[in-house]
Amino acid sequence: SNAEYGGDTMPCAALREAARDVTLLVHEATLEDGMEADAAAKRHSTTSQAIGVGASCGAQHVLLTHFSQRYPRIPTLPPSALAADANISISFDLQTVHLDQLPALPLLTPVLAELLDDLAESEVGSDDEESPAVAQSNEAKGKKRKTG
């Protein structure tokens, strides 16, 4: 049982070699698919590129991290990451995972993606009214409360 942390990088041969047949590959997925040119310019990875590194090196589990702040929760995940047999998981700040929990993490990925998507939609609210979550966030930032 071993782990490899890819750091802040775009896909590269050195990382694939270092992560060959690892139990856990932690890989940054800063940008969503479709932003490959931006990822290359900034020397980051897209979600699918990070997943591809995990597949090409034979990692048993891939934990995606370091999502851009442009995404309200997590970036859009490709369908392969949400499949029942996927070995892809997402991480959050201050998350703690024990190695014996790794097999269960991919089961949470589709649930978290849907939950966070629903939460993001509810935060948008209508034009006339802020959702409680947005109001609380704005209040904490010192913004004036929106009234209808």
Side-chain angles (χ1 to χ4, degrees):
S1 163
N2 55 357
E4 181 68 36
Y5 180 75
D8 209 3
T9 186
M10 57 191 301
C12 64
L15 176 57
R16 285 186 180 96
E17 185 56 37
R20 176 108 13 241
D21 298 322
V22 295
T23 300
L24 173 64
L25 171 64
V26 179
H27 200 295
E28 67 108 332
T30 301
L31 298 167
E32 66 186 356
D33 295 346
M35 299 188 74
E36 288 79 8
D38 286 340
K42 296 174 182 176
R43 306 195 53 80
H44 285 296
S45 297
T46 66
T47 304
S48 287
Q49 288 173 334
I51 292 169
V53 170
S56 69
C57 70
Q60 291 177 29
H61 303 279
V62 178
L63 187 60
L64 301 176
T65 189
H66 193 58
F67 305 115
S68 173
Q69 291 182 357
R70 77 179 71 229
Y71 309 114
R73 302 288 177 227
I74 59 171
T76 303
L77 296 170
S80 62
L82 304 175
D85 62 347
N87 66 340
I88 310 302
S89 305
I90 55 176
S91 66
F92 298 94
D93 290 346
L94 305 175
Q95 179 180 15
T96 301
V97 177
H98 297 275
L99 290 177
D100 62 343
Q101 296 171 323
L102 289 175
L105 282 182
L107 301 174
L108 298 175
T109 302
V111 176
L112 287 170
E114 186 170 330
L115 176 68
L116 294 173
D117 188 44
D118 288 349
L119 181 61
E121 286 177 17
S122 73
E123 287 179 348
V124 171
S126 70
D127 288 341
D128 296 329
E129 183 179 311
E130 286 180 328
S131 71
V134 170
Q136 182 179 14
S137 174
N138 286 341
E139 193 172 23
K141 294 176 187 173
K143 294 182 180 178
K144 290 186 178 182
R145 186 175 194 109
K146 184 177 181 179
T147 56

